[in-house]
């Protein structure tokens, strides 16, 4: 069920739409449910992620604030993969500053910004090693990249990981 995604900014996504949560990656809207949380009745998107079959509940009325968006097209993800090879990422030597900068990049929801996190951390890992927190962030960045590339290009998660690995090493 691969096809082009409607790129218009809609206040509502539909069941079956492929969308991206900035901190969890891309998935498919499985259903739209109404639940009562803290005494408030709200609609939620139930987002099924390709990694581990995880489900994420996203309040429909906060998607803009969270940064939820439609996935990129296959051609757009191909362009991002091409840009990853040429990326030069400066990483702050101060761990705290570097971590905060990378976290902001991850939260941006931009596939290229997430790619910068992965590329910069891979480079740093090769030169100096990574802390546990940065290793987790690198893993999350790779998952976010692979989930969107896989869904957008209609390829398996493993194929998407392989394409990203090659792009980041170029």
């Amino acid at each position: 069920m691969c096809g082009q995604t409607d790129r218009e900014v809609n206040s509502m996504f539909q069941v079956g739409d492929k969308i991206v949560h900035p901190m969890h990656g891309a998935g498919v809207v499985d259903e739209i449910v109404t639940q009562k949380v803290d005494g408030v009745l709200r609609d939620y998107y139930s987002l099924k992620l390709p990694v581990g079959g995880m489900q994420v509940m996203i309040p429909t009325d906060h998607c803009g604030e969270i940064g939820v968006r439609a996935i990129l097209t296959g051609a757009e993800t191909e362009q991002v993969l091409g840009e990853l090879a040429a990326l030069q990422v400066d990483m702050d030597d101060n761990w705290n500053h570097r971590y905060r900068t990378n976290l902001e990049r991850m939260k941006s929801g931009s596939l290229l910004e997430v790619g910068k996190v992965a590329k910069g951390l891979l480079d740093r890992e090769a030169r100096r090693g990574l802390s546990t927190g940065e290793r987790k962030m690198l893993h999350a960045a790779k998952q976010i990249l692979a989930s969107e590339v896989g869904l957008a290009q209609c390829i398996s998660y493993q194929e998407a990981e392989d394409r990203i690995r090659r792009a980041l090493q170029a």
Side-chain angles (χ1 to χ4, degrees):
M1 184 161 151
C2 284
Q4 296 301 316
T5 301
D6 181 3
R7 296 302 311 262
E8 280 183 35
V9 176
N10 296 321
S11 59
M12 281 289 265
F13 294 106
Q14 304 298 317
V15 171
D17 285 352
K18 297 172 184 177
I19 63 175
V20 178
H21 185 289
M23 296 304 289
H24 296 290
V28 179
V29 176
D30 203 29
E31 62 182 331
I32 300 171
V33 297
T34 303
Q35 289 186 351
K36 194 174 201 175
V37 177
D38 293 331
V40 178
L41 207 56
R42 250 193 197 123
D43 289 334
Y44 292 86
Y45 296 117
S46 176
L47 182 64
K48 185 170 184 170
L49 302 174
V51 182
M54 188 168 118
Q55 292 281 135
V56 176
M57 301 298 283
I58 306 167
T60 60
D61 56 349
H62 292 297
C63 283
E65 297 165 30
I66 296 169
V68 174
R69 62 173 173 78
I71 67 166
L72 299 176
T73 64
E76 289 168 326
T77 57
E78 193 62 39
Q79 181 179 348
V80 169
L81 288 173
E83 292 175 24
L84 286 178
L87 275 179
Q88 296 296 318
V89 183
D90 291 327
M91 289 274 171
D92 196 309
D93 284 334
N94 180 296
W95 181 90
N96 194 29
H97 292 138
R98 187 172 60 249
Y99 190 83
R100 278 188 284 172
T101 299
N102 283 334
L103 190 56
E104 286 305 311
R105 285 178 174 157
M106 298 279 287
K107 286 180 179 179
S108 75
S110 162
L111 201 58
L112 192 55
E113 289 298 308
V114 174
K116 286 180 182 178
V117 172
K119 181 112 181 193
L121 289 176
L122 281 170
D123 181 55
R124 184 159 185 90
E125 181 179 46
R127 289 184 294 114
R128 298 185 184 160
L130 296 176
S131 67
T132 302
E134 285 182 315
R135 241 183 270 113
K136 286 180 182 177
M137 184 176 279
L138 174 58
H139 180 72
K142 287 178 177 179
Q143 279 190 322
I144 290 168
L145 288 166
S147 66
E148 186 161 3
V149 168
L151 279 177
Q153 294 189 359
C154 302
I155 58 177
S156 73
Y157 185 81
Q158 184 61 52
E159 289 173 284
E161 278 186 323
D162 292 344
R163 298 218 44 227
I164 290 161
R165 183 183 36 76
R166 286 192 303 271
L168 289 170
Q169 290 174 346

